Amino acid sequence: MILVIGTSADNLNSNSHIRQYISEGFRELSPDASVVSMSSEDFVGVKTLPHKSLCLFVGSVVELKFGVEIQLERARRLGSRTAVWLHDDPYEFDASMRVLEGADVIFTNDKAALYHYPDRSRVVHLPLASSSRFLSPPISRTGADYLFAGVPFRNRLRFFTEFSEVMSQRKASLKGMLIGPSWELSVFPDAIDRRLSPTALSNLYKFCLSTIYLGRELDLCNSRYMIRASTPGPRLFECAGAGGCQIAMTPGLEITEYLEPSEEMFLVESAEEAVELAIELKKNIRRSLSVGRNAQARVKSEHLYRHRAKTILTTMNSI
Amino acid sequence: MSLTFTVIESAFATSNHYLAVSLVRALRANPNVSEVIFCDMQDALFATRNKMTDVLLVFGGEQADGHVVLSLRHRSRMSIIWYLEDPYETAVNRTTRKYFDIALSNDADAAQQYGSNSYHFPLAGDGSYTDVFVPFADRRFDISFIGTAWPNRAVLLNEIRDELSTLRSRILVVDNKFTRPHLEEIGFKFPLCSGVDYRDFMRIAQQSRVSLMIDRSFSGSGGVPVSDTPGPRFFEAGAAGACLFVDQRVVGEQLQDLGFTDGREYFGFSDAAGLKLLLGELKVSPERFEDSARSLQRLIALRHSYNHRVEEIVKLSLAWTTECHLKPVENVAVEKDAAVRVLALAHNLTPFGNFGGGELYLDRLVRGTQALEVFTLAHDGRRGFGSRYVLIDGAGKVLEEFLPRIPFSDLKLTSPDVESFFLRCCEIVGPSVLLVNHLMGFPPSLPLIAKHFGLPFVLVLHDYYVICDSYNLLNHQGIYCRAQDPTDDFCDLCTYKRRNLSSSSQFRRRVFLGKLLENSFGIVANSPVSVNLVESLSGANLPAVQIIPPPRVHKYARSKAVCVDQPAVTLRRIALLGNLSSNKGMWHLLEIIRDLRSQPVSFEIFGRVDESFRSELNKLDASNVRIHGVYTPGELPPDLANCEVALFLSIWPETYCMSLTEALDAGVVPIAYNIGAIGERVDDEVGFKTEVDPAKVSELLLELIDDPSPLIVRKAQLLTRISAEDRFVSDYEQLLLAAAREFQTPNFSSVSKFDVRNLGFAWIPSRWDQDSNWDNLIADVSIGKTASNSRTKGRIRWTGLMDRFFRLFIAKDE
């Protein structure tokens, strides 16, 4: 049996749906396998497990309420193998020390963080991925000219401030959708202050001409080595899986290991370049569609949770 | 000759960790190096216990006089420090130079200031990158610059902005608190970011035809030192295959000394005009710079990778060893002929107040042992909780006293002032093992700190303090809580009702104390039942547990003589023994007395009695109750043996119960609640057990009054079981000596430089009643309006904020 268990309370984690996707990935990989997805609260109630079970804890380990180390120990006492898939490296790297001793294997979402673990023999890099739920093909691009969904981290604020300035300088008439909580409406009057479900977002990816991808700049406890993230987050894979055409601006180049620039996404150096590209795509909708389809094909072959599930099982079987 | 190395970074927190990783990789690859221990500050002293290597290599320089680094010197035959932050930190580094045999500096001028046996050691390139060269035609960028926005760099970048805009460039400029005011003044025109990881830096360098190197001429502390030696980025970008445009005003001379030639391995410029010329050429004929990039990469592979630096380090080390500078090898397997020194943590001592528990056991150990020399760091609660601590020797003499200005609160998990006093005590005593007799009154961080220093600790479970602050597991209603696991929801409710603490508090405490349990060398419990409870409620993976019943403090021979002479025939006298208080079932006893008022039996109460019991008893007007008063430990009350049964009505799961031993040894048949160690120790052959209900006890007593035959059978059985065996002292000695033998006695000198935050658990909040960490986290958040709110409001209570923080910002939202 494979148990996919959230590490933090569901009401505090807006990404708890990822747990569901991971479980589906395991089921797609082995349809006969018994896979259970559960919250941290529910796992507390688990008192027995079948022989050779795997307890995979997924998410962030910074929150103390759940006490992931105690649950790891519980899982071990129930005779299960244990693994943790950290989703918030390196922003919460200091907290990951909590699970180093308790888990048989640690999977980290970030490659830069990987190199900072003292004993790397049991730590494996595993980026997040896309759910196969989003894989319907993109058909038209009748939505906004550019889309961004997320919270205003510092880098994103800078980007969109510049992006708006360039648009007004160019007198570009681009229809944009900026969705996410806490955008300053006096600065970004068109921002939509809400959080969309993953399904709703995936539909937007399919219909918008371009989707901006920007990383996260927000450390919660990363003061020891001050590690800069290098692996892109789940949105990149989810949007690509939905067939979205992404304009990405990331400080590093690891993104190119997952999607091919100019073929499966566009990599830009500045907000100015992003504006130019969005204008160009508006004129060339077919380009947007073809890049989106290429991205989707790449995700189908490499970046579904099914592929990650395979890595997890292979790793667990090798130890 | 092959050498063994211990490598440690001098500072716990560092952004240069990748350099140390490259260095260690090169060390491990060197044929003259047979072993490399790469220590993490968190467990360095523990990991290197009982080890001796040839060379200690300290990497960094910051906090090089910290306790961990200085202690490690004693575990290596020679020591080398490689300072990385010269000349910016030379003044500080000069104060730590004296601790090390050889000093290496990244800066040539600084190396001159460190006296003899000091050498200039520039940083280097990572040899694992020099095998790949991406042809210029395939590269994504014409030019890249990655670095901090020091003012001189910002000015120069502004000046060449037009030229850069015509090239494919990646300019990643990082700001910090020092540069921010300058950048506004300068009117810096580039977007700022938080930088990239080392591997991304290398990827970008591999993809850039040219990498731009601009000096840093700025110091946060006011001076304007400039390094004469190229920094690590020069070697790294060169190793990755970029051609370098180098600001050579300061480093030009050193570059030549290191074998790099302007126009061949790099292109130098001295001002914006010179750089603009180079950029113009790059625009027109980039291929011109490809040969230079290849030539630079080749030279780094040949002479300037970490492999070459390691070769030099090995040469220096071998030369040092042949010059007979070596310290004699310390005898690692220390003989333990002399009495082993033990430092005991005690929540109370018998002179401060005798409650018949842990303090009595410790007293017996201190007086009874020959093999151990026990010093005690005791909490003296007479002045109030956490207000006085004393260090006393085996004879009871006070060696040190500490009166915290603010009394220690049991809500704290760490406490710098008590921790400092603890370390001072360690320095005075020089213990080989720490005995945690009871943690109450102390920050629970102390044993973990001990472990960090390589001092093993043994934890004694006298009660349940390690799993709940209500150490006898009585809940807010005063009854045994029967919590099942560490995350029991009722624990939140109970903790809130008892102490008005926020949810998760108890759990947070358990997580922390669970670390203690897991890290102990051994755990001593009085009875198996308490171990099971601690194990299930802590959720921790317990190390070896040894059951050592408490010592017999009473005079056994006398009690046996008494009991043999007094066979029971009828039930007339019912004994209550020990400390009669509410958790010992005082109110239950009142009910039983009420039930049996008309029966021909008396209740004989020996020991301390709560005043509230006396007043309630007076209301009952019970003439069949006799209060004998307090008896001296070790002197069983003579009248005890005249009783036929003794009641044990503890409403909490006791871990042993000394008075039960006293009753058994006096041949008095116990009637006990079936709970905790008492329930475990009383079996049906020698006593009676009932569920926790005074009515059940009354019923049983009435039955025995009518028919005492079951009592007679049990008493006869009881007399056959009495044994004089008392292995308390010898069992403790055995365990503590085993711990001491396994570990080399740590060195506690110069502990003043120790920073408890360097331990792995330091990110956990310092108190268990609040997640104070969140305040710090919020302070770092520099996004959106919440950031400005948190600044203007200063400290925000975490309550409620955490939820908002998660939902709005963290959101694991990419």
Side-chain angles (χ1 to χ4, degrees), chain B residues 412 547 559 595:
Chain B
K412 289 182 183 173
I547 306 295
S559 63
D595 290 345

Side-chain angles (χ1 to χ4, degrees), chain B residues 34-317:
Chain B
S34 58
E35 186 188 1
V36 182
I37 304 172
F38 186 19
C39 293
D40 188 319
M41 185 72 77
Q42 292 178 59
D43 67 348
L45 295 177
F46 188 76
T48 59
R49 67 191 189 280
N50 301 347
K51 289 228 167 113
M52 194 78 190
T53 55
D54 295 317
V55 186
L56 168 68
L57 178 56
V58 180
F59 199 63
E62 192 187 351
Q63 299 162 27
D65 54 350
H67 176 79
V68 175
V69 170
L70 295 190
S71 296
L72 284 178
R73 285 181 318 146
H74 300 293
R75 297 178 187 183
S76 285
R77 304 165 79 194
M78 64 173 290
S79 57
I80 301 177
I81 185 162
W82 189 348
Y83 293 117
L84 303 182
E85 301 288 343
D86 283 327
Y88 315 104
E89 303 298 336
T90 305
V92 179
N93 292 344
R94 285 175 65 181
T95 66
T96 60
R97 169 66 185 91
K98 59 180 180 279
Y99 298 117
F100 305 95
D101 298 324
I102 294 176
L104 314 174
S105 168
N106 64 301
D107 184 77
D109 266 357
Q112 305 280 332
Q113 300 181 45
Y114 293 137
S116 57
N117 299 312
S118 303
Y119 304 89
H120 176 214
F121 251 64
L123 286 151
D126 187 335
S128 60
Y129 281 86
T130 50
D131 295 339
V132 178
F133 187 87
V134 180
F136 263 32
D138 298 341
R139 296 199 185 187
R140 173 181 297 278
F141 308 114
D142 293 318
I143 187 164
S144 63
F145 173 79
I146 301 173
T148 305
W150 302 117
N152 62 312
R153 291 174 174 177
V155 169
L156 185 63
L157 286 171
N158 267 355
E159 286 186 60
I160 60 167
R161 189 165 178 248
D162 289 344
E163 284 74 13
L164 288 177
S165 67
T166 64
L167 296 164
R168 294 176 306 158
S169 61
R170 176 156 282 203
I171 309 296
L172 298 176
V173 192
V174 183
D175 62 340
N176 61 33
K177 64 178 179 184
F178 299 113
T179 63
R180 243 161 251 149
H182 296 280
L183 293 180
E184 279 177 28
E185 200 178 300
I186 291 164
F188 190 55
K189 297 190 175 85
F190 291 81
L192 297 160
C193 72
S194 57
V196 288
D197 172 60
Y198 165 63
R199 276 154 209 85
D200 265 330
F201 174 87
M202 296 301 273
R203 278 191 200 101
I204 292 169
Q206 274 177 333
Q207 285 293 331
S208 304
R209 289 167 171 171
V210 167
S211 194
L212 185 57
M213 299 283 141
I214 313 173
D215 287 337
R216 159 188 169 177
S217 58
F218 180 85
S219 163
S221 51
V224 191
V226 181
S227 177
D228 59 8
T229 306
R233 293 301 200 202
F234 176 90
F235 300 99
E236 289 160 7
C243 170
L244 302 188
F245 287 179
V246 182
D247 182 350
Q248 62 174 2
R249 280 172 284 193
V250 182
V251 299
E253 202 175 310
Q254 269 299 326
L255 278 172
Q256 293 210 349
D257 288 354
L258 294 168
F260 300 101
T261 307
D262 187 6
R264 194 174 68 198
E265 276 86 21
Y266 72 96
F267 289 85
F269 62 88
S270 302
D271 51 25
L275 178 56
K276 283 180 182 181
L277 278 177
L278 286 172
L279 293 175
E281 285 183 52
L282 177 65
K283 174 80 182 164
V284 179
S285 46
E287 65 287 351
R288 199 196 134 198
F289 299 98
E290 186 160 356
D291 282 348
S292 166
R294 286 185 192 277
S295 163
L296 175 64
Q297 192 186 44
R298 209 175 303 124
L299 187 55
I300 286 171
L302 278 174
R303 287 169 57 182
H304 294 290
S305 77
Y306 283 102
N307 296 335
H308 303 103
R309 301 292 182 263
V310 162
E311 275 171 24
E312 292 300 313
I313 289 171
V314 169
K315 266 188 217 162
L316 285 172
S317 306

Side-chain angles (χ1 to χ4, degrees), chain A residues 174-223:
Chain A
L174 292 174
K175 278 185 298 169
M177 277 184 92
L178 199 54
I179 304 173
S182 304
W183 285 88
E184 191 65 73
L185 292 178
S186 59
V187 183
F188 302 99
D190 299 331
I192 301 166
D193 185 5
R194 64 184 299 186
R195 195 176 280 284
L196 290 187
S197 73
T199 314
L201 259 181
S202 77
N203 283 329
L204 281 177
Y205 296 146
K206 286 182 204 302
F207 287 101
C208 291
L209 265 172
S210 63
T211 301
I212 310 283
Y213 175 81
L214 301 167
R216 161 178 166 178
E217 269 191 25
L218 177 65
D219 287 331
L220 289 189
C221 45
N222 178 20
S223 58

